[in-house]
């Protein structure tokens, strides 16, 4: 039996396995577990499996999508990890260092139970984002074709790749169709997270997300960071913005030095034990 904690950050939900003191996954394939446990009909249900351990003097987070692929980063997930480490007594300081596939992050537990995350610098060149083309070029308000339609997009890397498309009405976008097609666009060899964003005013953006390996989700933290950066780069919003997502709101600041700061909540839903077993067939 594998002990787990179900958590969410503004509706972006995760199955979190605490492997800090002992490793309940030893000898087991985390990708197989992710596909089974994230299934919303046959499993616990979630937008990802997060495994937290401490292989050195710094905590580490690994994130596996529902399709079993491993993601470099997850903005809502890192806030959940911060709350778990505090609630389990693994961390006694309000500031926590956390290693991720995108590098080391600093997490600050605030008195209102929210978590502020220094997400590091936004990556703005094709090479740093993981796009095809000249590695030193930026992709800002550039045409990108999907099916018979050409849209205008901006690519931003937050340790993982994002494509941001500003639209007049985010609610009217056929998210499942366009999101799935753009996720696999040839410009992104490792696939991409896709966001459709409506500008409400210079400090408020409405975001809908299609996540790589997960599909439509209620929130995406790294995506909110990318959308705020894209809004500033294209002159649509200021350096500080509130991102409104289906699951709630995040506060994003794109600092003068290029770092991105994300602030938002994280909550525990329930705890349980999972019997590791083969994936359902059919």
């Amino acid at each position: 039996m594998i002990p787990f904690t179900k958590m969410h950050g503004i509706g972006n939900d995760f199955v979190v396995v605490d492997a800090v003191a002992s490793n309940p996954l030893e000898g087991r394939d985390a990708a197989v577990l992710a596909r089974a446990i994230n299934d919303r009909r046959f499993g616990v249900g979630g937008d990802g499996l997060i495994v937290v351990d401490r292989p050195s003097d710094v905590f580490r987070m690994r994130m596996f999508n529902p399709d079993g692929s491993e993601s470099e980063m997850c903005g809502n997930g890192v806030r959940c990890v911060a709350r778990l480490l505090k609630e389990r007594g693994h961390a006694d300081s309000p500031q926590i260092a956390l290693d991720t596939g995108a590098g080391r992050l600093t997490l600050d537990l605030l008195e209102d139970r929210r978590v502020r995350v220094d997400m590091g610098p936004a990556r703005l060149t094709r090479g740093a984002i993981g796009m095809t083309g000249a590695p030193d070029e930026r992709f800002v308000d550039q045409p990108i074709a999907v099916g018979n339609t050409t849209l205008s997009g901006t690519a931003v890397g937050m340790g993982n790749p994002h494509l941001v498309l500003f639209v007049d009405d985010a609610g009217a976008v056929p998210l499942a169709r366009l999101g799935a097609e753009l996720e696999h666009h040839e410009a992104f060899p490792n696939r991409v997270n896709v966001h459709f964003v409506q500008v409400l005013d210079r400090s408020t953006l409405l975001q809908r997300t299609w996540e790589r390996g997960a599909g439509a989700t209620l929130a995406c933290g790294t995506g909110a960071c990318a959308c705020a950066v894209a809004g500033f780069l294209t002159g649509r919003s200021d350096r500080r913005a509130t991102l409104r997502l289906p699951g709630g709101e995040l506060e994003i600041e794109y600092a003068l030095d290029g770092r991105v700061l994300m602030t938002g909540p994280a909550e525990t839903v329930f705890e349980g034990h999972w019997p590791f077993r083969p994936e359902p067939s059919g």
Side-chain angles (χ1 to χ4, degrees), residues 18-32:
D18 178 359
V20 173
S22 62
N23 185 10
L25 298 185
E26 188 170 1
R28 296 181 170 111
D29 188 332
V32 173

Side-chain angles (χ1 to χ4, degrees), residues 20 52-61 81 85 90-92 96-100 104:
V20 173
V52 190
D53 62 5
R54 184 164 49 188
S56 64
D57 59 342
V58 178
F59 297 107
R60 179 180 66 170
M61 176 187 98
V81 168
L85 292 174
H90 296 314
D92 55 11
I96 300 170
L98 181 69
D99 281 339
T100 73
R104 184 166 296 178

Side-chain angles (χ1 to χ4, degrees), residues 7-9 12 14 16 50 52 59-63 71-86 96-109 114-119 158 221-222 225 250 262-266:
M7 306 186 76
H8 80 90
N12 199 190
F14 310 97
V16 185
I50 294 176
V52 190
F59 297 107
R60 179 180 66 170
M61 176 187 98
R62 296 183 68 191
M63 160 72 179
S71 180
E72 305 91 337
M73 248 297 292
C74 177
N76 290 316
V78 297
R79 298 199 315 277
C80 291
V81 168
R83 290 240 56 92
L84 179 100
L85 292 174
K86 183 66 174 178
I96 300 170
L98 181 69
D99 281 339
T100 73
R104 184 166 296 178
L105 304 181
T106 301
L107 320 175
D108 288 296
L109 292 143
R114 293 188 304 164
V115 180
R116 181 174 58 235
V117 185
D118 182 343
M119 301 288 289
M158 291 303 310
T222 53
C225 295
L250 293 173
M262 173 189 62
T263 303

Side-chain angles (χ1 to χ4, degrees), residues 3-9 11-17 37-40 43-48 80 84 87-88 266-273:
F4 68 86
T5 303
K6 182 70 182 290
M7 306 186 76
H8 80 90
N12 199 190
D13 60 338
F14 310 97
V15 178
V16 185
V17 174
I37 204 167
N38 283 311
D39 191 294
R40 295 194 182 276
V44 175
D47 293 324
C80 291
L84 179 100
E87 292 171 0
R88 291 289 180 88
E267 300 293 341
T268 297
V269 182
F270 63 86
E271 295 184 348
H273 289 78

